[in-house]
């Protein structure tokens, strides 16, 4: 596993796809969702989306990608759509974009959310996830992990009380090459909270590996989908919901916003989205 400090200090041109995957996949956020992501995740689906958008959206569509994590798959969508002739611009959002890398002891760092929730601990020779795994209980490693977690988190909280402390570095939990793309902007946003600056702004929304049954109860998923529905332009706006399974197969559904109060399913990939029934039931405001 790559140390957090090493990741943030590696120049853009030396960061390999493997390093990006390795780093982001090992982060679990405070709301217990993972930043898991990998390259070419949607290479089977992007050609269909391109074809669909070429026929059903303006030539310079505005897209919203929610729950982008590192933004690796956002760049891939952007490149695929641009190469296919769409002058797309993408806004990528995530509940967790900004974080702090805090030097807690000499040669030791804690990567924490703005709330202080720990994401990773770097020690001089190893880097460590904060949470205890079942294997740790068999090996006894949980004692060390809990000790480091308590010590590093407490120290990080102490240091963060003084925002001007030189031991604090502000970092973005997004792959640097995403931030370097002119047509992509990334910002913090919680899908479960309605954002009025997004109202009717987008021709296409993608929710990849975030609107999962295992992450949120149906009521929260319904709220999230209703919010997204209001961000889409009528009637052509479309929503793509997908989940990648352990064997890397994608199961998703493309929905159309239409003029009415409900989404309509347009196309299924694999067995379709696991939350297709939830999406179809959501009622959006008449106006
Ligand atoms: C598994 S990653 C998906 C990454 C990318 N979309 C992909 O498929 O490769 C899930 C992301 O959703 C984000 N997330 C979880 N809850 C969220 C919420 N309520 N609002 C916005 N993003 C959220 C997490 O922070 C995480 O980065």
């Amino acid at each position: 596993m790559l140390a957090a400090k090493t990741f943030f200090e590696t120049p853009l041109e030396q960061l390999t796809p493997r390093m990006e995957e390795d780093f982001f996949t090992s982060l679990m956020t405070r709301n217990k969702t993972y930043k898991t992501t990998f390259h070419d995740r949607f290479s089977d689906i992007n050609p269909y989306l391109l074809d669909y958008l070429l026929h059903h959206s303006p030539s310079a569509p505005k897209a919203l990608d929610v729950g982008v994590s590192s933004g690796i798959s956002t760049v891939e969508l952007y490149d695929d759509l641009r190469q296919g002739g769409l002058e797309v611009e993408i806004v990528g959002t995530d509940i967790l974009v900004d974080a702090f890398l805090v030097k807690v002891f000499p040669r030791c760092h804690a990567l924490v959310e703005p709330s202080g929730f720990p994401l990773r601990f770097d020690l001089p020779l190893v880097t460590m996830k904060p949470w205890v795994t079942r294997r740790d209980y068999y090996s006894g490693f949980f004692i060390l992990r809990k000790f480091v977690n308590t010590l590093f988190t407490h120290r990080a909280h102490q240091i963060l009380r003084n925002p001007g402390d030189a031991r604090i570095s502000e970092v973005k939990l997004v792959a640097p090459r995403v931030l370097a793309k002119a047509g992509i902007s990334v910002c913090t946003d919680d899908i479960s909270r309605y954002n009025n600056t997004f109202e009717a702004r987008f021709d296409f929304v993608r929710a990849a590996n975030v609107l999962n049954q295992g992450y949120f109860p149906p009521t929260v998923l319904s709220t999230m989908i209703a919010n997204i529905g209001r961000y889409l332009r009528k009637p052509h706006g479309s929503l793509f919901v997908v989940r990648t399974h352990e064997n890397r197969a994608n199961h998703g559904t493309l929905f159309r916003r239409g003029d009415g109060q409900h989404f309509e399913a347009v196309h299924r990939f694999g067995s379709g989205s696991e939350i297709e029934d939830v999406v179809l039931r959501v009622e959006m405001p008449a106006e």
Side-chain angles (χ1 to χ4, degrees):
M1 227 168 38
L2 194 63
K5 188 166 183 297
T6 312
F7 178 82
F8 292 113
E9 285 182 351
T10 304
L12 171 63
E13 59 288 354
Q14 285 170 27
L15 266 183
T16 65
R18 185 69 208 269
M19 287 161 88
E20 290 175 348
E21 273 173 31
D22 178 52
F23 179 67
F24 286 104
T25 296
S26 62
L27 299 180
M28 184 184 71
T29 66
R30 188 165 60 131
N31 75 351
K32 301 269 183 287
T33 58
Y34 287 84
K35 283 203 162 269
T36 307
T37 186
F38 47 83
H39 290 80
D40 292 329
R41 208 170 195 180
F42 304 112
S43 51
D44 54 333
I45 286 173
N46 287 354
Y48 183 95
L49 294 180
L50 168 65
D51 189 59
Y52 182 84
L53 293 174
L54 280 170
H55 291 95
H56 297 90
S57 77
S59 56
K62 303 272 182 275
L64 173 68
D65 195 14
V66 295
V68 292
S69 182
S70 66
I72 294 172
S73 55
T74 313
V75 170
E76 289 171 351
L77 177 67
Y78 177 83
D79 288 343
D80 287 347
L81 297 182
R82 284 254 164 173
Q83 279 155 21
L86 284 173
E87 291 294 306
V88 68
E89 281 179 15
I90 302 186
V91 176
T93 66
D94 201 283
I95 198 167
L96 180 62
V97 172
D98 298 292
F100 296 118
L101 187 66
V102 186
K103 185 173 185 184
V104 284
F105 300 106
R107 298 179 61 213
C108 293
H109 292 81
L111 177 67
V112 297
E113 294 189 11
S115 64
F117 181 84
L119 299 166
R120 178 67 74 76
F121 304 124
D122 292 346
L123 288 88
L125 297 176
V126 287
T127 183
M128 202 184 267
K129 295 173 185 171
W131 70 92
V132 172
T133 63
R134 200 184 308 159
R135 219 172 47 191
D136 290 343
Y137 285 109
Y138 297 124
S139 64
F141 193 71
F142 74 96
I143 299 174
L144 179 63
R145 211 189 284 275
K146 283 191 171 172
F147 174 74
V148 171
N149 190 336
T150 308
L151 185 67
F152 277 41
T153 305
H154 177 73
R155 188 91 176 118
H157 288 183
Q158 271 182 338
I159 294 170
L160 285 169
R161 270 189 220 128
N162 174 12
D165 194 306
R167 289 168 292 185
I168 305 172
S169 311
E170 286 180 26
V171 291
K172 293 241 179 256
L173 296 177
V174 177
R177 66 199 170 90
V178 179
L179 302 170
K181 284 263 178 197
I184 300 181
S185 56
V186 178
C187 63
T188 305
D189 183 69
D190 179 349
I191 315 163
S192 67
R193 290 168 182 254
Y194 174 67
N195 180 342
N196 64 358
T197 67
F198 287 172
E199 177 83 33
R201 240 180 81 184
F202 299 98
D203 303 293
F204 173 68
V205 176
R206 181 176 71 170
N209 295 299
V210 56
L211 300 185
N212 296 356
Q213 279 168 343
Y215 283 169
F216 307 106
T219 47
V220 176
L221 287 172
S222 299
T223 303
M224 291 172 156
I225 294 154
N227 289 342
I228 290 172
R230 296 179 66 182
Y231 303 159
L232 282 169
R233 291 193 178 130
K234 291 199 268 183
H236 64 274
S238 52
L239 162 66
F240 177 51
V241 182
V242 65
R243 177 164 181 187
T244 314
H245 287 205
E246 295 256 306
N247 62 1
R248 299 207 169 189
N250 290 310
H251 297 277
T253 304
L254 180 67
F255 302 90
R256 184 172 170 270
R257 170 70 178 84
D259 265 327
Q261 288 177 263
H262 292 93
F263 280 103
E264 301 157 25
V266 171
H267 187 82
R268 286 201 184 98
F269 302 85
S271 342
S273 164
E274 64 186 31
I275 61 154
E276 192 177 301
D277 57 329
V278 182
V279 178
L280 294 175
R281 273 201 306 270
V282 165
E283 193 168 303
M284 287 162 288
E287 211 16 75

